[in-house]
Amino acid sequence: MRKQRQVVLTAVTSSCDHPTAEMILARAKEIMPSINLATVYRNLNALCKEGKVQRVMVDGGDRFDKTLCVHAHFQCRKCNSVTDVEGIDLSSLCNEEFKSNNVVEGFNVTIKGVCQNCK
């Protein structure tokens, strides 16, 4: 793995806050000051394609997640934080008839509201 890609991957996997590309850039610059936003985006796209990080599409733009298993997210409408929601069986979102007629490859479920820190 190229050094730049490893730096971007480390910036994602060492975080728990579902960082934006800009947040990843700031963290990557601590290790590799010459890295730029285009390089971060290019490597994030490659890492998503390789299945090493997950893109989370939320209001305000894409965030990136180190947790690769199927799970939902919660986005706070006040502070814009994104957190994992565990313990929800997402497979039940599609009934058997739908599953038999389609190939379900994944879910992007975001629950929106106000987090406990902002309420």
Side-chain angles (χ1 to χ4, degrees):
M1 182 179 295
R2 291 189 352 237
K3 174 103 170 122
Q4 294 170 328
R5 188 158 303 161
Q6 185 59 52
V7 168
V8 171
L9 179 61
T10 299
V12 176
T13 58
S14 64
S15 66
C16 294
D17 59 353
H18 300 78
T20 63
E22 291 80 7
M23 293 164 72
I24 293 165
L25 173 64
R27 294 168 189 173
K29 277 188 170 289
E30 294 175 9
I31 301 165
M32 183 180 281
S34 63
I35 198 166
N36 61 47
L37 189 56
T39 300
V40 169
Y41 272 113
R42 185 173 52 256
N43 283 287
L44 283 170
N45 288 332
L47 290 166
C48 287
K49 188 174 182 178
E50 294 168 6
K52 294 184 177 170
V53 299
Q54 183 179 164
R55 183 183 313 271
V56 180
M57 295 170 274
V58 295
D59 293 345
D62 291 345
R63 306 291 277 272
F64 297 89
D65 193 353
K66 65 182 177 184
T67 306
L68 301 176
C69 64
V70 176
H71 63 286
H73 293 93
F74 177 84
Q75 183 177 23
C76 178
R77 68 175 169 79
K78 289 190 174 186
C79 69
N80 207 31
S81 66
V82 177
T83 55
D84 289 339
V85 178
E86 300 186 26
I88 296 176
D89 180 10
L90 296 178
S91 65
S92 65
L93 292 176
C94 299
N95 63 35
E96 291 306 316
E97 180 182 353
F98 182 87
K99 287 185 216 177
S100 67
N101 293 322
N102 301 281
V103 177
V104 177
E105 295 178 340
F107 296 93
N108 184 9
V109 177
T110 303
I111 301 165
K112 298 176 183 180
V114 179
C115 72
Q116 56 183 288
N117 291 332
C118 292
K119 68 178 182 180

